[in-house]
Amino acid sequence: MAHRLLGAGGAVIELHDETQQTYRAACVRDERLHACLYLADGARPLPGLDWLKQQLGAAKLDKGARKALLAGRAPDGMADTGPVICACFGVGLATIQELIASGAAVSVEAVGQHLKAGTNCGSCQPEIKKLITTMNGGCVLAGAEA
């Protein structure tokens, strides 16, 4: 069934874990991820959608990424950064939130200094400012832009 859903013309890698009641499969064509399928009960977390999108867009799926697909999570050391907020530099929501939570960024400019986010076209600056305000209890901290 999975082979039909994932499409023909590629190598299908799969893992069926009866203990965890999960099934994961991926179709790889020309060293690129073509499709993947995850089945699990509601108690099992699924891999982050944005991480999966990155894998689908990658020019080549290396051995570590293949293992991670079957494991159902990003490999150690490669966190799921969440949806992209700054397209110019590929900075994700989780990365910006982590920086704000650390206290290292109380302004859009500070986020830019640490991550480059918001320093090119500037279209993400309103969203970054909203994140800062929301994460700081609805107020802009002293020293941050108004």
Side-chain angles (χ1 to χ4, degrees):
M1 175 73 150
H3 294 264
R4 245 188 357 224
L5 291 171
L6 295 171
V12 174
I13 55 175
E14 58 190 338
L15 174 70
H16 182 202
D17 185 338
E18 291 185 26
T19 305
Q20 297 290 321
Q21 296 184 355
T22 61
Y23 176 80
R24 301 178 190 108
C27 178
V28 180
R29 287 187 194 160
D30 300 321
E31 298 187 49
R32 295 186 66 181
L33 178 62
H34 173 71
C36 58
L37 174 68
Y38 292 90
L39 300 173
D41 64 18
R44 305 282 177 249
L46 294 172
L49 184 58
D50 291 292
W51 178 75
L52 286 173
K53 286 179 188 177
Q54 289 172 358
Q55 302 315 300
L56 283 165
K60 182 179 178 183
L61 195 63
D62 65 24
K63 192 175 187 177
R66 289 175 192 231
K67 287 181 181 179
L69 283 166
L70 292 182
R73 60 180 167 77
D76 292 338
M78 183 181 179
D80 184 358
T81 61
V84 173
I85 300 297
C86 176
C88 296
F89 296 104
V91 181
L93 174 64
T95 304
I96 296 170
Q97 288 175 323
E98 186 177 311
L99 181 68
I100 295 167
S102 75
V106 296
S107 68
V108 173
E109 290 78 15
V111 171
Q113 288 172 351
H114 289 277
L115 304 174
K116 291 189 177 182
T119 62
N120 192 34
C121 77
S123 66
C124 61
Q125 288 182 357
E127 191 163 359
I128 294 170
K129 183 175 181 178
K130 183 178 177 182
L131 281 169
I132 293 167
T133 302
T134 301
M135 290 183 68
N136 290 316
C139 60
V140 177
L141 299 178
E145 76 281 354

